[in-house]
Amino acid sequence: MAFVATTNTPPLILSHSLRPPRRYPSFSLLPIPTTTLPLSLRSLSSTLKFRLSFSFNPPTSSSLPTFSDAGEDDVEDEDDDDEEEEEYEEEEYEDDDDDDVAADEYDDEVPDEGEAFDASARREEFKWQRVEKLCNEVREFGAEIIDVDELASVYDFRIDKFQRLAVQAFLRGSSVVVSAPTSSGKTLIAEAAAVATVARGRRIFYTTPLKALSNQKFREFRETFGDSYVGLLTGDSAVNKDAQVLIMTTEILRNMLYQSVGNVSSSRSGLVNVDVIVLDEVHYLSDISRGTVWEEIVIYCPKEVQLICLSATVANPDELAGWIGQIHGKTELVTSSKRPVPLTWHFSMKNSLLPLLDEKGTRMNRKLSLNYLQLQAAGYKPYKDDWSRKRNARKRGYRMSYDSDESMFEQRSLSKNNINAIRRSQVPQIIDTLWHIEPRDMLPAIWFIFSRKGCDAAVQYIEDCKLLDECEKSEVELALKRFRIQYPDAVRETAVKGLLQGVAAHHAGCLPLWKAFIEELFQKGLVKVVFATETLAAGINMPARTAVISSLSKRIDSGRRPLSSNELLQMAGRAGRRGIDESGHVVLIQTPNEGAEECCKVLFAGLEPLVSQFTASYGMVLNLLSGVKAIHRSNESDDMRQSTGGRTLEDARKLVEQSFGNYVSSNVMLAAKEELKKNEKEIELLMSEITDEAIDRKSRKALSQKQYKEIAELQEDLRAEKRVRTALRRQMEAKRISALKPLLDDPESGHLPFLCLQYRDSEGVLHSIPAVFLGKVDSLNASKLKDMISSVDSFALNVADAERSLPDSVLNEDLEPSYHVALGSDNSWYLFTEKWIKTVYGTGFPDTPLAQGDARPREIMSTLLDKEDMKWDKLAHSEHGGLWFMEGSLETWSWSLNVPVLSSFSENDELLLKSQAYRDAIEQYKDQRNKVSRLKKRISRTEGYKEYNKIIDGVKFIEEKIKRLKTRSKRLTNRIEQIEPSGWKEFMQVSNVIHETRALDINTHVIFPLGETAAAIRGENELWLAMVLRSKILVGLKPPQLAAVCAGLVSEGIKVRPWKNNSFIYEPSATVVNCIGLLGEQRSALLAIQEKHGVTISCCLDTQFCGMVEAWASGLTWREIMMDCAMDDGDLARLLRRTIDLLAQIPKLADIDPLLQRNARAASDVMDRPPISELAG
């Protein structure tokens, strides 16, 4: 009986863990032999020492419990000074009883002699020979012989349980959703499905989100099936496109499926004889810019085609499987949370590398807590009896745990005032962490740094460290020589020195050919450390023994954002090579603002769910609604002239409402809203119990009349004294700013003073930053910074708000805030107002030239500041202005090293304390604070205080409960906002734009030539591209000029990246500039129509890089075009590939001028040359 998944029927879920590791075959571009050398005695000794000192059970990703992050309430203004010191609080996490793996979770049966003989015989055959043998048996005996054991026999190792279950589900005719960790072997499932499909004489499509990943899978499948069985179809390549196994990018398949929507047969879509479609990296469904493509494929895919969806671990794979089951057909879910190679988590500090987690892997190693580090910094030694206790325990044979120093935490209550200093003192340089991991045999490593500049600077920083022996170095030299002969222009000369030492960078600024070369050397073990951006974690098969993650936050256009747990685990998943390493290593690094606590918070935060990103595009609307063509051409066949008349709006609505977001909302929305409503009612009820009236009512009931009156009077006095204290604190702040003004406006001549910046973060932790003062922004030679402050609203200073916060007694003083700049000891620039300066010191940098004719340090540092990208991140804000920071460069690093630590200064160095008015304000404030403390003690000694305190404790308990409920409600609200369906509204908005531009009549479904072109083209804004290509302005352009204009249409996201003295960009010709000027008028008209209908799809038109593309299309060499260029190699290559992709589409479009088509073909052919031409195999 057939199983059909419906809305009310959950998909079949098969959950289990993985078996021990195996090894994949590797692909090599260059036939360079590898040599394995024995470890030196020094390395062996270091390794043994490490393993002895860190002998604990390595935690795996499955042992990480999920925690809820409770938000912190803001501290009330009146209570800011009540807190003297805070005890260190550590959450107690419950052990996860699900960590134990059942015996039957693994296929660990010992094979008998016959099985062992068969396995040995299989190893002597190549995989493609075993595949061919199976295909021949199927042709001879029929497809009925195909079962999971036959498919498993293709491999010379025992496949894992989750792989076996997924293959069995596929053979039952189900679509399959597989959710498993990175590098666990999900591709094997698709490969086994391909073997079965090829053996049956049918076809399978394999889709990936990236061209590079498609090329990689193309090579791998050719090794399995042979060249004749495998094809490739991307925007750049079409190889053997009628093959039984066809690899393609996801957008290509989506465009093919547009033709089949609403048709009974799949033949019209190009899916002839296609039985299976594999969607690799299906978790891309959550990608904001591209996620809709995956949803469209599932919605449009013919129901007779089986889907195999391969995803990294996510929080809601059951929702994904249920959605596919509802709209596509029978679907089974296979999940696995166990990694084939377990991960060991480490934490790197300046002088040590420690385990991040405790022995159970369920919480942070206590030796990484801030309290422990503070005690160490203070020179704390455990008591003598502690050492004797440990020594006796060792004699008895007990192993001490990482938590064995609990007595240290019981000795004293620690303040958080020095947390910032402790963290910054523990920040390691790259070389520190490298020397921690290299002797411990933890290389090769992928080192994730979230900026291209950071990756390149890291390579330069350690390019003198020798990580290769002479034999390995000679192999790299030979490989580099061969690569230089084959691709002379693709060699990244600035990276050669580091490459010969075993270090390389891998990011989007590198040419694809160079990145492929680095990947090959890394897989051969000839590159020991690769500094890479997070794009390396997205599917490319490049596993390492260790993954180093330099930061828990990354820069985006609007500032910095923290990494999600999914992103962290995706990068960590690159650690551990199956069949090579017994354990993978993940190293997280101490940064100035992120310590081990933040690392564990992200690690234990739990996986994020897949979220629908379904959005309507011009291409989608046109392909769904297009019907009868307005113009029929003589060269069209009769079949082409026959049209279905298009789908109605109701038909289109049914398709759009099948989105993943609507499915999730239908199941989750109701429950979430119900819980949210319940929480709001409970919060309202609890709030009524902690009002002043409620507390007063409870006090009257619990206390006698005398006791109540005494406490009530004292409480009223306390509130009055607190108000006075608040006023005096504000007055003290005003006097401090008033005293700072002359120190900052006119610092001592020939002197750059040191100062201390201070702020509290969102969790109330006080941070103190030593820095060298550069000057007031208005006085600096930093035009970029001045322009930013004057033009960006977030930097605006609200003088009115600042004045309202000050007492009347100081309003006549000049306290208007202004921005200043300093360089911190952590090599970060700080932009701040007087509010954030704790004190200014009498010592500093001499502002005198080092030699005659040199610039002064203040001028040099101002120049370095103006060279930065001006990407400032906000640390704190107040009515007196904000505190911002920006990472410095390699050039400012030496300056920051000379900033002293705060403990080296004395009170006598503080210039601020020389102000008598400020000292008087401090004394008045201290006296008032003591008065408040005495009143509190009087209240605590009253007769009825014990009963009154019980009431206050009850109020605090209710406040904590309210805080938890608010946190839960906030999460529910966020979840509801994520799943709120909006697809149909956007669809109609886009439809209205199409209707008004005469591309398609949405009432009669008659499609006009403009709509035909837009429906057939690929791009971010298909309608805009069609308008440009149909414009007569382009017809008279020569091929290089046409290429330049096309580049202006696809250059979105490409940026100028000046580095040192490289600041040159070719200017476009006058013809190109004039052409783009005329197109600008059309663009403005389209943007006005889009704005009218609420559509925000961008219309790219930019001349900045047109000259570079025009120069390349005119025949300039790569070396000529990149000389002193302000663009990264990879950026220019990406722009050129985008331009070639658009040019290559023009000859295939209907109703385009033949001359324009010929010029486009000529330009495409000229531009598609090394080093940017991509090889398919």
Side-chain angles (χ1 to χ4, degrees):
M1 181 177 178
F3 169 77
V4 180
T6 64
T7 310
N8 298 322
T9 306
L12 180 60
I13 300 177
L14 308 170
S15 181
H16 55 89
S17 58
L18 301 174
R19 65 178 293 277
R22 68 167 191 278
R23 186 173 183 175
Y24 280 126
S26 59
F27 165 72
S28 170
L29 286 176
L30 300 178
I32 302 175
T34 58
T35 305
T36 304
L37 296 176
L39 289 172
S40 65
L41 290 176
R42 179 184 62 82
S43 298
L44 182 60
S45 173
S46 301
T47 306
L48 291 174
K49 181 180 178 181
F50 171 72
R51 288 174 180 166
L52 179 63
S53 59
F54 294 110
S55 57
F56 69 105
N57 299 324
T60 64
S61 58
S62 64
S63 66
L64 306 180
T66 302
F67 297 89
S68 60
D69 305 330
E72 298 276 349
D73 283 343
D74 293 332
V75 180
E76 291 291 337
D77 187 40
E78 289 188 355
D79 296 327
D80 283 345
D81 298 286
D82 291 347
E83 181 185 71
E84 297 292 333
E85 292 182 329
E86 293 184 16
E87 295 279 351
Y88 175 78
E89 296 180 6
E90 181 177 353
E91 281 187 280
E92 295 294 324
Y93 303 125
E94 295 181 1
D95 292 340
D96 189 352
D97 295 329
D98 295 329
D99 289 346
D100 297 331
V101 181
D104 60 353
E105 296 266 347
Y106 293 92
D107 289 336
D108 287 339
E109 300 91 345
V110 179
D112 58 28
E113 293 183 6
E115 288 178 330
F117 177 80
D118 291 341
S120 176
R122 287 200 301 271
R123 290 191 191 98
E124 295 175 1
E125 295 179 317
F126 291 105
K127 190 196 293 185
W128 67 267
Q129 291 175 316
R130 296 192 288 271
V131 171
E132 186 176 10
K133 180 180 177 181
L134 177 60
C135 291
N136 291 334
E137 291 176 352
V138 171
R139 280 193 288 269
E140 182 177 353
F141 301 107
E144 293 77 14
I145 70 169
I146 300 177
D147 60 17
V148 66
D149 293 323
E150 287 290 338
L151 295 176
S153 69
V154 171
Y155 304 94
D156 55 8
F157 50 82
R158 189 180 297 276
I159 68 174
D160 292 339
K161 188 70 172 293
F162 90 98
Q163 295 166 335
R164 177 177 290 273
L165 290 172
V167 172
Q168 287 173 337
F170 163 74
L171 292 175
R172 285 194 291 268
S174 303
S175 292
V176 187
V177 173
V178 181
S179 176
T182 303
S183 302
S184 60
K186 295 186 289 292
T187 303
L188 182 143
I189 298 164
E191 195 175 66
V195 171
T197 305
V198 169
R200 292 167 179 160
R202 305 289 289 178
R203 302 180 73 199
I204 181 173
F205 285 178
Y206 190 111
T207 72
T208 77
L210 306 171
K211 291 180 183 178
L213 190 54
S214 293
N215 290 335
Q216 178 180 298
K217 296 300 179 184
F218 177 60
R219 295 190 292 263
E220 292 177 359
F221 275 81
R222 285 173 76 171
E223 288 182 352
T224 301
F225 294 95
D227 294 357
S228 61
Y229 284 97
V230 184
L232 177 68
L233 196 60
T234 67
D236 302 316
S237 307
V239 180
N240 196 17
K241 61 182 181 180
D242 295 323
Q244 284 185 268
V245 180
L246 188 59
I247 317 294
M248 65 183 68
T249 48
T250 320
E251 280 81 359
I252 297 290
L253 176 60
R254 189 269 309 272
N255 294 340
M256 293 170 62
L257 288 172
Y258 274 144
Q259 303 171 34
S260 72
V261 180
N263 295 319
V264 177
S265 172
S266 61
S267 60
R268 295 186 58 192
S269 66
L271 303 184
V272 181
N273 295 327
V274 175
D275 280 357
V276 186
I277 290 176
V278 178
L279 299 179
D280 199 1
E281 308 290 338
V282 78
H283 52 268
Y284 266 73
L285 184 142
S286 286
D287 185 81
I288 294 175
S289 59
R290 299 175 61 201
T292 186
V293 178
W294 278 260
E295 294 194 55
E296 288 186 75
I297 288 175
V298 175
I299 293 171
Y300 306 152
C301 183
K303 296 186 183 299
E304 66 269 17
V305 177
Q306 283 180 268
L307 292 175
I308 297 178
C309 303
L310 307 179
S311 170
T313 46
V314 293
N316 58 339
D318 53 331
E319 291 180 349
L320 176 64
W323 170 62
I324 296 175
Q326 177 176 295
I327 70 170
H328 185 73
K330 179 182 176 183
T331 302
E332 297 183 41
L333 172 64
V334 178
T335 65
S336 175
S337 58
K338 297 291 183 181
R339 286 182 49 85
V341 181
L343 292 181
T344 306
W345 295 80
H346 308 268
F347 190 74
S348 174
M349 296 181 290
K350 189 171 185 62
N351 299 314
S352 61
L353 181 72
L354 295 175
L356 176 65
L357 308 176
D358 64 6
E359 290 181 320
K360 294 182 179 180
T362 57
R363 59 182 179 180
M364 186 184 74
N365 177 7
R366 290 178 69 106
K367 288 191 175 181
L368 294 174
S369 70
L370 289 168
N371 292 60
Y372 193 99
L373 296 176
Q374 283 177 318
L375 288 171
Q376 282 192 325
Y380 174 81
K381 300 293 184 184
Y383 288 118
K384 187 173 181 180
D385 59 341
D386 288 339
W387 289 111
S388 62
R389 176 173 55 84
K390 295 180 184 179
R391 188 164 56 249
N392 292 336
R394 285 196 295 271
K395 287 180 181 179
R396 290 192 297 268
Y398 297 137
R399 186 176 66 174
M400 298 302 295
S401 72
Y402 295 112
D403 302 336
S404 58
D405 294 316
E406 293 183 10
S407 59
M408 296 177 64
F409 298 94
E410 298 169 1
Q411 301 297 328
R412 62 180 70 184
S413 175
L414 298 174
S415 169
K416 291 185 178 179
N417 290 341
N418 292 324
I419 286 177
N420 184 56
I422 293 295
R423 279 183 170 173
R424 293 177 186 273
S425 69
Q426 295 291 340
V427 175
Q429 298 293 332
I430 291 173
I431 194 68
D432 299 327
T433 302
L434 180 60
W435 290 146
H436 289 153
I437 66 177
E438 191 271 339
R440 294 170 167 86
D441 194 24
M442 293 168 65
L443 299 180
I446 298 176
W447 200 307
F448 291 103
I449 298 177
F450 304 121
S451 76
R452 303 179 189 181
K453 189 184 292 186
C455 291
D456 292 334
V459 171
Q460 293 180 18
Y461 184 63
I462 65 169
E463 64 183 4
D464 294 325
C465 301
K466 295 183 178 180
L467 300 179
L468 301 179
D469 57 37
E470 291 303 319
C471 183
E472 291 171 325
K473 185 176 179 180
S474 65
E475 289 189 51
V476 174
E477 289 174 340
L478 178 60
L480 186 61
K481 182 178 179 181
R482 291 176 176 173
F483 183 82
R484 193 185 295 274
I485 292 172
Q486 192 172 6
Y487 308 109
D489 289 337
V491 177
R492 203 164 191 246
E493 297 294 347
T494 56
V496 169
K497 182 178 179 182
L499 191 62
L500 295 176
Q501 304 300 335
V503 183
H506 185 293
H507 53 69
C510 305
L511 284 171
L513 286 171
W514 180 255
K515 289 195 291 184
F517 178 58
I518 296 301
E519 291 166 15
E520 175 209 347
L521 293 180
F522 188 83
Q523 289 168 357
K524 287 178 171 291
L526 299 177
V527 172
K528 303 299 182 183
V529 178
V530 168
F531 293 98
T533 52
E534 72 275 17
T535 54
L536 185 62
I540 302 299
N541 184 22
M542 193 173 163
R545 179 167 295 166
T546 299
V548 183
I549 301 171
S550 63
S551 174
L552 289 178
S553 60
K554 56 186 290 190
R555 188 180 298 280
I556 56 176
D557 292 339
S558 58
R560 296 189 74 88
R561 72 163 180 83
L563 292 179
S564 67
S565 57
N566 289 32
E567 290 172 320
L568 178 64
L569 294 175
Q570 181 85 1
M571 288 183 282
R574 290 294 151 203
R577 297 165 296 179
R578 191 166 191 175
I580 301 175
D581 302 320
E582 292 182 2
S583 174
H585 302 277
V586 184
V587 179
L588 302 177
I589 297 179
Q590 174 75 59
T591 68
N593 301 306
E594 300 156 352
E597 290 91 345
E598 288 76 16
C599 293
C600 290
K601 184 176 180 180
V602 176
L603 192 57
F604 292 134
L607 295 169
E608 294 183 337
L610 289 176
V611 178
S612 174
Q613 302 293 346
F614 191 85
T615 54
S617 65
Y618 291 115
M620 176 198 296
V621 174
L622 286 166
N623 280 284
L624 289 182
L625 296 181
S626 62
V628 178
K629 295 181 180 179
I631 299 175
H632 292 292
R633 300 172 188 86
S634 59
N635 61 347
E636 287 182 344
S637 65
D638 292 337
D639 290 340
M640 292 177 65
R641 293 192 182 194
Q642 293 175 0
S643 178
T644 61
R647 279 150 294 280
T648 65
L649 283 176
E650 187 59 32
D651 294 335
R653 180 166 190 161
K654 288 178 181 178
L655 286 172
V656 171
E657 289 183 345
Q658 288 181 349
S659 70
F660 179 56
N662 283 342
Y663 170 82
V664 173
S665 66
S666 64
N667 292 334
V668 177
M669 181 80 73
L670 190 60
K673 286 186 174 179
E674 188 68 30
E675 185 179 353
L676 185 61
K677 187 177 180 181
K678 179 181 176 183
N679 286 354
E680 289 173 350
K681 286 184 177 179
E682 188 171 358
I683 289 172
E684 184 179 355
L685 179 63
L686 291 174
M687 288 292 290
S688 66
E689 296 181 18
I690 60 172
T691 61
D692 290 342
E693 293 79 5
I695 296 173
D696 185 71
R697 188 169 57 253
K698 292 177 182 178
S699 300
R700 288 179 182 274
K701 186 176 180 181
L703 304 176
S704 66
Q705 184 66 26
K706 178 183 177 183
Q707 293 170 344
Y708 170 78
K709 183 179 180 182
E710 182 182 15
I711 290 180
E713 290 175 352
L714 289 175
Q715 284 287 355
E716 183 60 37
D717 293 343
L718 179 62
R719 282 190 285 270
E721 296 299 340
K722 280 187 175 183
R723 286 192 291 271
V724 174
R725 184 188 65 182
T726 299
L728 289 175
R729 185 173 67 247
R730 290 176 176 171
Q731 179 175 296
M732 179 181 65
E733 178 69 12
K735 294 295 183 183
R736 187 182 66 81
I737 295 175
S738 180
L740 279 173
K741 282 282 186 180
L743 299 177
L744 300 176
D745 293 341
D746 186 25
E748 186 179 339
S749 179
H751 184 69
L752 294 179
F754 298 125
L755 50 79
C756 174
L757 302 174
Q758 197 170 77
Y759 74 99
R760 287 188 184 274
D761 61 22
S762 59
E763 297 183 355
V765 178
L766 187 67
H767 298 267
S768 299
I769 307 163
V772 57
F773 182 66
L774 194 58
K776 193 174 180 179
V777 171
D778 294 341
S779 67
L780 297 177
N781 184 23
S783 56
K784 285 170 64 176
L785 180 60
K786 293 178 183 176
D787 292 343
M788 181 197 68
I789 291 177
S790 61
S791 60
V792 180
D793 292 341
S794 55
F795 289 94
L797 294 172
N798 195 329
V799 180
D801 287 347
E803 290 181 350
R804 277 197 297 270
S805 67
L806 298 174
D808 297 338
S809 59
V810 296
L811 285 180
N812 59 337
E813 301 183 30
D814 180 19
L815 299 177
E816 182 177 336
S818 54
Y819 277 116
H820 304 78
V821 178
L823 179 66
S825 61
D826 59 342
N827 194 26
S828 293
W829 292 104
Y830 289 91
L831 178 65
F832 53 91
T833 60
E834 297 84 356
K835 158 72 179 176
W836 309 104
I837 303 175
K838 179 187 178 185
T839 190
V840 179
Y841 297 103
T843 57
F845 284 167
D847 192 24
T848 55
L850 293 178
Q852 188 173 3
D854 288 352
R856 294 188 304 159
R858 189 170 188 262
E859 297 170 355
I860 296 173
M861 294 171 71
S862 297
T863 303
L864 294 176
L865 172 63
D866 214 39
K867 289 172 66 176
E868 300 288 352
D869 294 335
M870 294 297 133
K871 293 184 177 179
W872 296 87
D873 301 316
K874 185 183 288 187
L875 288 174
H877 182 72
S878 77
E879 65 274 6
H880 296 283
L883 171 64
W884 307 73
F885 88 102
M886 174 178 65
E887 294 177 1
S889 64
L890 204 59
E891 296 169 284
T892 60
W893 179 59
S894 58
W895 293 91
S896 67
L897 292 177
N898 291 305
V899 178
V901 296
L902 294 176
S903 58
S904 63
F905 296 108
S906 66
E907 284 191 5
N908 296 330
D909 296 322
E910 297 187 29
L911 299 179
L912 194 58
L913 294 179
K914 295 181 180 180
S915 167
Q916 185 62 45
Y918 178 52
R919 290 208 307 271
D920 291 343
I922 292 176
E923 291 302 320
Q924 289 178 3
Y925 173 72
K926 286 183 178 179
D927 290 343
Q928 184 62 26
R929 191 173 62 181
N930 292 335
K931 194 172 182 180
V932 170
S933 297
R934 288 193 295 271
L935 258 177
K936 287 182 178 180
K937 289 181 180 178
R938 280 189 63 189
I939 294 174
S940 66
R941 294 191 185 110
T942 58
E943 183 180 350
Y945 177 74
K946 188 174 181 181
E947 291 299 322
Y948 177 76
N949 196 47
K950 289 180 181 179
I951 297 172
I952 300 302
D953 287 342
V955 169
K956 291 179 180 178
F957 177 79
I958 293 174
E959 287 174 343
E960 284 295 320
K961 189 173 182 180
I962 291 172
K963 186 168 71 173
R964 289 194 299 270
L965 286 170
K966 285 183 175 180
T967 301
R968 175 61 180 164
S969 296
K970 184 177 180 181
R971 290 185 173 180
L972 286 171
T973 303
N974 292 338
R975 181 69 168 140
I976 290 171
E977 289 175 354
Q978 287 176 334
I979 62 179
E980 192 74 55
S982 58
W984 181 244
K985 178 182 177 183
E986 294 169 356
F987 188 94
M988 287 306 301
Q989 289 172 334
V990 171
S991 300
N992 292 332
V993 174
I994 289 174
H995 184 77
E996 187 165 338
T997 55
R998 296 290 294 170
L1000 174 78
D1001 188 326
I1002 62 173
N1003 298 314
T1004 63
H1005 303 289
V1006 172
I1007 187 168
F1008 297 96
L1010 175 61
E1012 288 185 58
T1013 304
I1017 207 165
R1018 300 190 310 274
E1020 291 297 320
N1021 188 324
E1022 301 92 341
L1023 183 60
W1024 166 236
L1025 294 177
M1027 285 180 167
V1028 173
L1029 296 180
R1030 296 188 62 81
S1031 171
K1032 298 302 180 183
I1033 300 173
L1034 304 186
V1035 176
L1037 298 178
K1038 296 177 181 178
Q1041 296 168 342
L1042 175 61
V1045 173
C1046 288
L1049 304 175
V1050 295
S1051 61
E1052 189 169 11
I1054 305 295
K1055 297 179 181 178
V1056 175
R1057 300 176 189 273
W1059 179 248
K1060 296 182 179 177
N1061 297 320
N1062 300 340
S1063 58
F1064 181 77
I1065 287 184
Y1066 281 90
E1067 294 293 331
S1069 63
T1071 303
V1072 172
V1073 173
N1074 292 336
C1075 180
I1076 289 185
L1078 294 173
L1079 291 175
E1081 298 176 6
Q1082 295 185 19
R1083 176 176 179 269
S1084 298
L1086 178 58
L1087 286 175
I1089 297 173
Q1090 286 193 166
E1091 185 177 1
K1092 172 183 174 182
H1093 296 288
V1095 175
T1096 57
I1097 303 175
S1098 63
C1099 302
C1100 183
L1101 185 66
D1102 185 13
T1103 61
Q1104 186 174 19
F1105 304 107
C1106 293
M1108 299 293 291
V1109 177
E1110 188 174 8
W1112 179 253
S1114 299
L1116 264 68
T1117 67
W1118 187 259
R1119 291 184 185 276
E1120 289 172 334
I1121 203 171
M1122 290 305 299
M1123 188 176 297
D1124 297 330
C1125 181
M1127 297 180 69
D1128 283 345
D1129 294 13
D1131 282 338
L1132 180 56
R1134 192 174 305 107
L1135 176 60
L1136 294 173
R1137 292 301 329 166
R1138 288 182 189 175
T1139 306
I1140 293 170
D1141 181 48
L1142 180 56
L1143 289 168
Q1145 293 182 64
I1146 295 175
K1148 304 173 186 177
L1149 299 174
D1151 199 37
I1152 296 295
D1153 190 286
L1155 178 58
L1156 180 63
Q1157 291 180 323
R1158 287 196 297 271
N1159 288 339
R1161 187 180 292 108
S1164 175
D1165 292 342
V1166 170
M1167 292 177 64
D1168 195 7
R1169 64 184 191 270
I1172 67 159
S1173 54
E1174 295 185 358
L1175 299 180

